[in-house]
């Protein structure tokens, strides 16, 4: 049974779910997304969100409020007379009147196995913690942060060298199909919800730039997880001397390796770097202002030798 849906989302991660809901034949009453942001080299151009671009391609009404706390915005939301709201990485707080404005509530697509990694950065935090598994969940939203009961779940293995970008794309596809299934069950009144466990709660706080620099005194496994968990954005980094000056080097891919040496020391001609214990081999890096490059390509253009040090 087709439902009247309000969709709420902003980044690339949300787009496949919006597209899948439209393709499934649901009536999308409006699309809420964050307002266009300043972009471009000088920051003078306003760039619409990926969700706004997709909504406009589909011919859907787009709304871009800066907040939903005001009475006028809440009345406008309720006036859509929707059956359900679907929220995927929207980025704005939904006050209680909004959560209660639709007939069947608000469904949220969340990229973790709740209650682990509630919050803003579950994909990055799962990899940075060395988790072997994560998933997508469809839950009913409450006022608390990702505390609502769960309806559907699909698990996803995290490969030993998988980056946050790769996991993002995998979960993005899983989330779209899972939400379409949830709406199908909701439409025939057979979507059931299970409360989250009270044990095992962790929080995925937003990534801060202050934590992106690599600490080479940590064990190799932790350094490897740090690099892949922050790839491609915002990117883990270190400094190395190139052409007589220190240069920031973004580290995009790595793999665990063998070797012993001073923390941060380069052990060979393959960019194997010693850690507090063990070593990692850098597989892909990016110089400031440059493009991502395989380690061997980077080494052809930069005189990095055994014995030098990443700091």
């Amino acid at each position: 049974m087709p439902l009247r849906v309000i969709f709420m989302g902003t980044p690339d991660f949300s787009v496949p779910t919006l597209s899948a809901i439209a393709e499934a034949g649901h009536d999308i009453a409006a699309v809420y997304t964050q307002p266009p942001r300043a972009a471009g080299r000088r920051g003078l151009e306003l760039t619409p969100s990926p969700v706004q671009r997709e909504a406009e391609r589909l011919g859907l009404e787009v709304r871009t409020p800066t907040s939903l706390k005001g009475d006028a915005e809440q009345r406008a939301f309720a006036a859509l007379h929707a059956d359900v709201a679907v929220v995927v990485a929207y980025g704005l707080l939904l006050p209680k009147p909004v959560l209660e404005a639709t007939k069947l509530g608000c469904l949220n697509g969340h990229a973790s196995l709740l209650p682990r990694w509630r919050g803003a950065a579950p994909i990055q935090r799962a990899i940075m913690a060395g988790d072997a598994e994560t998933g997508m969940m469809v839950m009913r939203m409450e006022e608390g942060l990702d505390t609502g009961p769960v309806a559907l779940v699909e698990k996803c293995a995290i490969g030993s060298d998988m980056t946050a970008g790769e996991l993002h794309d995998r979960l993005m596809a899983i989330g779209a199909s899972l939400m379409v299934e949830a709406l199908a069950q909701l439409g025939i009144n057979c979507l059931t919800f299970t409360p989250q466990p009270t044990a095992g709660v962790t929080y995925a706080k937003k990534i801060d730039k202050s934590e992106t620099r690599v600490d080479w005194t940590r064990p190799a496994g932790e350094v490897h997880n740090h690099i892949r968990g922050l790839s491609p954005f915002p990117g883990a980094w270190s400094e190395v001397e190139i052409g007589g000056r220190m240069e920031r080097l973004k580290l995009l891919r790595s793999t665990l390796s063998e070797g012993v040496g001073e923390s941060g020391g380069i052990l060979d001609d393959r960019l194997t770097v010693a850690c507090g214990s063990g070593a990692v081999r850098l597989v892909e890096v990016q110089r400031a202002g440059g493009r991502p490059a395989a380690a061997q390509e980077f080494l052809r253009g930069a005189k990095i030798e055994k014995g030098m040090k990443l700091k």
Side-chain angles (χ1 to χ4, degrees), residues 45-74:
E45 302 173 13
L46 289 179
T47 301
S49 74
V51 163
Q52 180 172 344
R53 292 195 297 270
E54 176 65 4
E56 290 173 348
R57 187 189 71 82
L58 294 169
L60 301 172
E61 178 187 348
V62 176
R63 298 183 177 183
T64 59
T66 57
S67 170
L68 292 168
K69 295 179 181 179
D71 290 341
E73 283 295 346
Q74 292 174 9

Side-chain angles (χ1 to χ4, degrees), residues 63-299:
R63 298 183 177 183
T64 59
T66 57
S67 170
L68 292 168
K69 295 179 181 179
D71 290 341
E73 283 295 346
Q74 292 174 9
R75 286 195 300 270
F77 187 91
L80 291 169
H81 301 293
D83 295 312
V84 63
V86 170
V87 182
V88 182
Y90 178 37
L92 288 184
L93 176 71
L94 302 191
K96 187 175 181 180
V98 171
L99 294 174
E100 297 176 345
T102 60
K103 298 174 185 176
L104 302 173
C106 296
L107 299 182
N108 176 229
H110 184 77
S112 81
L113 299 178
L114 294 166
R116 187 164 175 79
W117 303 129
R118 292 174 177 171
I123 294 174
Q124 292 95 328
R125 295 296 178 189
I127 293 180
M128 292 170 75
D131 292 1
E133 183 180 58
T134 186
M136 280 297 301
M137 285 187 157
V138 173
M139 55 173 281
R140 185 170 62 215
M141 295 184 72
E142 298 178 341
E143 286 188 272
L145 177 64
D146 299 327
T147 57
V150 174
L152 298 179
V153 57
E154 184 170 336
K155 295 181 178 181
C156 174
I158 302 176
S160 59
D161 289 342
M162 179 179 274
T163 66
E166 291 166 339
L167 183 58
H168 168 282
D169 292 352
R170 180 77 185 104
L171 294 176
M172 183 169 65
I174 291 172
S177 59
L178 203 65
M179 188 61 74
V180 168
E181 175 61 25
L183 293 177
Q185 292 186 24
L186 189 66
I188 56 174
N189 197 32
C190 68
L191 187 66
T192 58
F193 295 86
T194 302
Q196 293 182 33
T198 55
V201 175
T202 60
Y203 290 94
K205 66 177 182 178
K206 185 178 179 181
I207 303 295
D208 189 273
K209 288 184 179 180
S210 65
E211 61 183 307
T212 56
R213 187 170 192 163
V214 174
D215 179 0
W216 296 104
T217 66
R218 295 166 64 186
E222 293 182 12
V223 171
H224 176 53
N225 293 338
H226 184 82
I227 290 170
R228 64 196 185 98
L230 295 176
S231 177
F233 182 83
W237 62 277
S238 194
E239 289 187 331
V240 64
E241 185 176 333
I242 301 176
R245 65 183 182 88
M246 298 303 293
E247 183 175 316
R248 180 180 290 206
L249 189 66
K250 185 181 285 189
L251 313 178
L252 298 175
R253 288 185 186 274
S254 61
T255 192
L256 291 175
S257 188
E258 295 180 354
V260 178
E262 184 181 1
S263 298
I266 297 173
L267 301 177
D268 57 22
D269 60 358
R270 301 181 65 205
L271 272 187
T272 301
V273 185
C275 302
S277 60
V280 298
R281 181 168 59 85
L282 302 180
V283 177
E284 185 178 24
V285 299
Q286 184 176 3
R287 295 177 69 171
R291 59 178 178 80
Q296 292 306 308
E297 179 185 352
F298 163 72
L299 288 171

